[in-house]
Amino acid sequence: MSDRPLVETWEAWTSRIALDLAALTEDDWLTFTVHVASHAASTYAAARAPRGRRRGGARSARPAPVPDVFVQARLLAGVLALECIGDTEFEGLTDLTRDQQAALVGLGWAREGDEPEFSRTFGAPGGADAAEAPDAAAALLRASLSGVLGAGSPADVDVRRAPRR
């Protein structure tokens, strides 16, 4: 038996999340945030890194994790609705850069107004794409979390579910 923990791939995570989205009821919700290490923890890690491997030396291909941004998934009147809330404490301030906001729109998120809030719906009841809605929504979540919001792996994503009654 191996002592190494199992690492979930993005493909497995996307499939699992699609199943979770398909199982949502009108009273359920899921939220997704990218885990952002505390400043103290990242400072400690940089100080302890071996020479030549200090943080900040070589640029990473993935974006830095964005604090205070979350994505919520809900079922509203039979439609799978996603919201990406990018403001800090709902005051309109955001840690998302203009490029990141444009990248979210490029992925298919809709933005109304100047606030850093984005939405997307999938699968109108009775519509031709209703069956594919959870898969499409999970793919958008993956692309947004890994490509824009800074999740390097599924382990970097905090998923929360509505409490069960």
Side-chain angles (χ1 to χ4, degrees):
M1 183 187 312
S2 173
D3 289 335
R4 294 183 342 171
L6 295 176
V7 177
E8 186 174 30
T9 66
W10 276 116
E11 291 76 18
W13 183 90
T14 305
S15 295
R16 181 174 56 82
I17 294 302
L19 292 172
D20 289 346
L21 293 172
L24 284 176
T25 65
E26 295 286 336
D27 294 332
D28 287 339
W29 50 262
L30 292 168
T31 62
F32 306 86
T33 56
V34 177
H35 176 73
V36 177
S38 72
H39 178 68
S42 60
T43 300
Y44 175 79
R48 300 286 301 163
R51 225 179 182 70
R53 301 193 109 179
R54 294 193 187 270
R55 290 184 178 264
R59 289 227 176 239
S60 172
R62 75 177 172 106
V66 181
D68 299 319
V69 175
F70 72 93
V71 180
Q72 178 174 277
R74 296 175 43 199
L75 190 65
L76 299 172
V79 175
L80 186 55
L82 301 183
E83 286 182 286
C84 179
I85 309 298
D87 65 358
T88 305
E89 300 296 322
F90 305 103
E91 296 174 6
L93 304 174
T94 186
D95 290 317
L96 288 168
T97 65
R98 289 187 191 278
D99 288 344
Q100 289 168 320
Q101 293 177 53
L104 288 171
V105 171
L107 289 173
W109 289 94
R111 181 177 184 179
E112 293 183 28
D114 293 330
E115 296 297 320
E117 297 177 10
F118 306 84
S119 63
R120 178 74 190 270
T121 58
F122 296 89
D129 65 341
E132 292 85 24
D135 292 330
L140 178 61
L141 286 167
R142 172 188 173 178
S144 302
L145 292 163
S146 66
V148 180
L149 301 178
S153 76
D156 293 339
V157 180
D158 293 328
V159 181
R160 297 185 185 211
R161 297 167 183 352
R164 298 289 178 192
R165 296 176 212 232

